[in-house]
Amino acid sequence: MLYLDRQHNPEINGKFITELLDHRMDLREAIRETDSLFRQNASKWEAVDHSLPGSFLENMVMAVPRLILSKKAFGVFDLPDTLLDQRSNVFPDWMPVLDEQYDKLHDKIDRIVNVKDFGAAGDGVTDDTRAFAKAIGNGRVKVLVPEGVYITKGIRLPSWTCLVGEGKGVTVIRLHEQAPRGTRLVSNRNYRRGNRNILVEGMTLDWNVERLGDVPKTSTWGNHSSCLLFANVKYGWVRNVEGINPGLHCFDISSTLYDYSGDGYRAKGGSNYIWLDKLNGYGFGDDGITTHHSDNIFISHCHMCDPSGRAHKEGFSNSNGIEVDDGSRSVLLVNNSTTRCFGGVEIKAHHNSSAANNVQIIGHISVNDNRSFNFRHIGHHKVNDPESRTAHNIRATNLVAIAPVHTSLYEHSSPRGMVVSAYKNVVINNFTLIGDPEYDFGENPVIAIQYRARNVILRNVSIRDFKNANSNIKVFGGEQCADDIQIRNVRVKNAAAKAVDVGNGIQNIKIDNVDALA
């Protein structure tokens, strides 16, 4: 069975995924097909009521401290497109905006300095916090951080700043033994007013969770306790960086504060136009990469694995490799990988927040995650729960799930290759799932479409070697059944006896071209 270690090079993920897919399709054609299928749901989408929660007066009051989501803010025709260059590299259609700002960042820089010229020792012992502060100053600077281990109590980056090391494992920035539990190791300087045009590149960020000993919870509330935080940052780049052993997250792209005012509202001060590229992370107390209340996020060629789960109660750790969380919009994930997490990729929201929406995945490999792909709006599943106003619009192309398993992170969570709950307008195209024929899958389904999911399309799905599963694809019925489901071109081999299991009460489901082989 495939094993990806902590030093897995995520730059090879694209080639890796192509080799593992059972349906070999030209990438451009695959993306075009996904988009075409997705827009077939447009007429259904327009029929959905997206009026704002609460009375007119309540909405006006709530509009003062935070942004209210409008129907236009997440309609089908507002979805971003993707760009492919001649080498089939995928980018969001807003990438030219970020490229222009990258040039502006380097035009604004008027100093290139070496942190050692400001007294940094980089010896793994000396506190270099003041040296970094002096070197950074008020920005408009490129700070070079040569090989070494630099101990700090936190680094705050103003606008127009580049922090550049010599590579993962070569330049190491480690959190001081006496740093408080809520410390962010590297972050932007001004969360309230915001910052712009910040680059972090070529280093390992070690949050040093070991310094806390056996505390029952390694993080504080909100967007603290992470290796890197961008909160209220416009135009940011994090490239070739490793995040290890944070109390909370390796990398958090976020708003100034999280917002739990209810479904339909977003926090003010979210980040915008951020590119995370070639990142590695492990040992995270919660998630490897997470986004909150932010727009236009591009996550590419990243590898997240082996969480500690220590931000949660033991046995109840929702620690995901990549999590697109509360209020996030316009997020593109390309050729990433996750392994040995609770969720490989989780697109979600808490019950009292807006769901992430307008999310696109192009290429992802999940190995031994408990739930390879998990799309849900917590608290909006069951018949007595309010229907989600914001959980919608997910496109995914070229997914690979290998051997989802039980995990001590979340002891009672049954393994799944994919779960779709509460979300509407979901298209999954070209999905290969490979199990272990000897593994006790506990009579569970491999793919579960459930809990009021609507307008879900599964196309070109290959499932093999799940002999102990109850069913390969299960569409759950009952009072909170899924509905408006299309399943086409499914190939099953050496797997569960039930190719597609359809529950009671589903009004509209189309199943076509399912091939089950012994």
Side-chain angles (χ1 to χ4, degrees):
M1 191 60 64
L2 181 65
Y3 184 86
L4 303 180
D5 64 19
R6 294 175 176 182
Q7 279 68 50
H8 169 68
N9 177 9
E11 295 183 61
I12 69 171
N13 281 345
K15 181 175 181 293
F16 213 3
I17 292 164
T18 299
E19 292 173 350
L20 288 165
L21 286 167
D22 285 344
H23 294 272
R24 301 289 176 87
M25 302 175 66
D26 176 78
L27 183 60
R28 293 175 189 273
E29 289 302 316
I31 294 172
R32 187 178 294 117
E33 181 177 57
T34 302
D35 289 352
S36 176
L37 291 168
F38 186 87
R39 293 181 188 279
Q40 287 177 17
N41 285 330
S43 59
K44 296 177 182 179
W45 167 256
E46 293 301 323
V48 177
D49 179 16
H50 296 292
S51 57
L52 296 171
S55 67
F56 176 82
L57 178 60
E58 289 172 332
N59 288 326
M60 292 304 98
V61 171
M62 296 299 282
V64 175
R66 58 188 60 81
L67 175 66
I68 297 177
L69 292 177
S70 67
K71 180 177 181 179
K72 184 178 184 301
F74 43 69
V76 166
F77 295 106
D78 297 318
L79 289 176
D81 291 321
T82 53
L83 306 173
L84 277 78
D85 65 17
Q86 292 182 343
R87 300 174 61 186
S88 294
N89 294 310
V90 182
F91 302 97
D93 63 355
W94 47 261
M95 189 54 113
V97 174
L98 198 56
D99 288 343
E100 180 182 0
Q101 292 297 324
Y102 186 80
D103 292 339
K104 285 185 178 181
L105 168 62
H106 286 86
D107 289 343
K108 289 275 190 181
I109 287 173
D110 54 27
R111 294 183 299 131
I112 300 178
V113 303
N114 189 313
V115 71
K116 286 200 169 183
D117 292 336
F118 293 82
D123 59 6
V125 177
T126 305
D127 185 350
D128 291 325
T129 306
R130 291 190 64 188
F132 275 97
K134 290 178 182 178
I136 292 165
N138 291 318
R140 298 199 174 206
V141 61
K142 180 177 182 178
V143 179
L144 303 178
V145 190
E147 180 177 0
V149 178
Y150 299 84
I151 306 300
T152 83
K153 294 178 180 175
I155 297 172
R156 303 286 290 275
L157 302 175
S159 301
W160 310 105
T161 298
C162 299
L163 185 69
V164 180
E166 294 187 1
K168 301 171 187 173
V170 180
T171 297
V172 179
I173 298 177
R174 179 174 296 153
L175 199 55
H176 195 285
E177 293 285 335
Q178 298 177 6
R181 187 174 55 169
T183 302
R184 299 104 163 175
L185 179 52
V186 174
S187 68
N188 58 297
R189 182 171 289 180
N190 196 311
Y191 307 138
R192 184 176 63 83
R193 292 202 303 264
N195 293 108
R196 61 176 296 169
N197 298 70
I198 297 175
L199 165 70
V200 179
E201 183 173 22
M203 62 188 66
T204 290
L205 302 177
D206 181 0
W207 197 80
N208 190 18
V209 72
E210 293 89 348
R211 75 187 193 282
L212 300 180
D214 295 327
V215 298
K217 183 176 173 61
T218 56
S219 65
T220 58
W221 185 87
N223 57 21
H224 297 69
S225 312
S226 296
C227 292
L228 182 139
L229 168 70
F230 279 176
N232 199 1
V233 171
K234 192 170 187 179
Y235 312 122
W237 302 260
V238 186
R239 302 189 307 209
N240 292 300
V241 176
E242 179 182 50
I244 63 177
N245 297 328
L248 193 60
H249 305 127
C250 291
F251 306 95
D252 187 354
I253 308 305
S254 185
S255 54
T256 303
L257 297 172
Y258 294 170
D259 189 288
Y260 298 110
S261 300
D263 182 21
Y265 301 100
R266 296 178 80 221
K268 292 179 64 177
S271 295
N272 200 355
Y273 297 111
I274 308 295
W275 185 11
L276 308 180
D277 188 44
K278 303 181 183 68
L279 308 184
N280 286 70
Y282 64 86
F284 33 97
D286 191 12
D287 306 309
I289 297 173
T290 189
T291 69
H292 299 85
H293 302 287
S294 296
D295 296 331
N296 300 315
I297 312 300
F298 181 29
I299 303 171
S300 61
H301 309 103
C302 296
H303 177 63
M304 299 290 133
C305 66
D306 300 312
S308 72
R310 293 180 59 187
H312 302 274
K313 182 181 177 182
E314 186 176 355
F316 295 89
S317 179
N318 183 43
S319 291
N320 304 297
I322 300 175
E323 179 187 75
V324 185
D325 205 353
D326 302 326
S328 300
R329 301 184 305 191
S330 183
V331 182
L332 173 62
L333 289 72
V334 174
N335 291 340
N336 301 296
S337 55
T338 55
T339 182
R340 298 178 294 279
C341 303
F342 166 66
V345 175
E346 183 166 79
I347 302 172
K348 71 175 251 283
H350 296 87
H351 73 282
N352 51 1
S353 188
S354 296
N357 57 71
N358 289 0
V359 181
Q360 185 171 15
I361 309 170
I362 300 176
H364 188 95
I365 179 170
S366 163
V367 182
N368 294 146
D369 296 316
N370 178 254
R371 300 205 163 180
S372 304
F373 301 94
N374 198 16
F375 310 150
R376 59 183 181 144
H377 193 173
I378 298 168
H380 297 269
H381 295 160
K382 299 183 180 180
V383 67
N384 293 324
D385 293 339
E387 186 170 357
S388 175
R389 299 173 181 271
T390 52
H392 43 254
N393 294 359
I394 298 174
R395 292 174 287 173
T397 307
N398 291 0
L399 305 184
V400 178
I402 297 180
V405 294
H406 291 88
T407 176
S408 61
L409 290 165
Y410 220 119
E411 292 179 351
H412 302 295
S413 176
S414 54
R416 299 276 196 276
M418 175 174 284
V419 176
V420 181
S421 300
Y423 267 85
K424 300 179 177 68
N425 297 345
V426 178
V427 173
I428 311 299
N429 184 27
N430 210 13
F431 186 14
T432 293
L433 302 98
I434 305 170
D436 178 351
E438 304 304 319
Y439 185 76
D440 183 4
F441 210 65
E443 290 294 305
N444 293 296
V446 181
I447 296 175
I449 312 300
Q450 60 188 26
Y451 288 149
R452 300 164 75 177
R454 296 287 186 273
N455 302 346
V456 178
I457 298 176
L458 297 178
R459 178 76 66 95
N460 301 320
V461 179
S462 175
I463 303 173
R464 53 187 164 97
D465 296 336
F466 287 91
K467 290 182 66 175
N468 294 313
N470 173 266
S471 56
N472 300 294
I473 300 172
K474 183 167 184 177
V475 183
F476 281 76
E479 290 185 312
Q480 64 263 25
C481 67
D483 217 332
D484 297 307
I485 311 297
Q486 298 180 42
I487 301 171
R488 185 176 185 185
N489 296 348
V490 177
R491 185 177 183 183
V492 176
K493 184 177 181 180
N494 194 32
K498 297 178 183 177
V500 181
D501 186 5
V502 179
N504 295 325
I506 297 171
Q507 299 297 311
N508 187 9
I509 184 166
K510 297 178 181 179
I511 303 172
D512 183 37
N513 195 22
V514 176
D515 187 9
L517 304 174

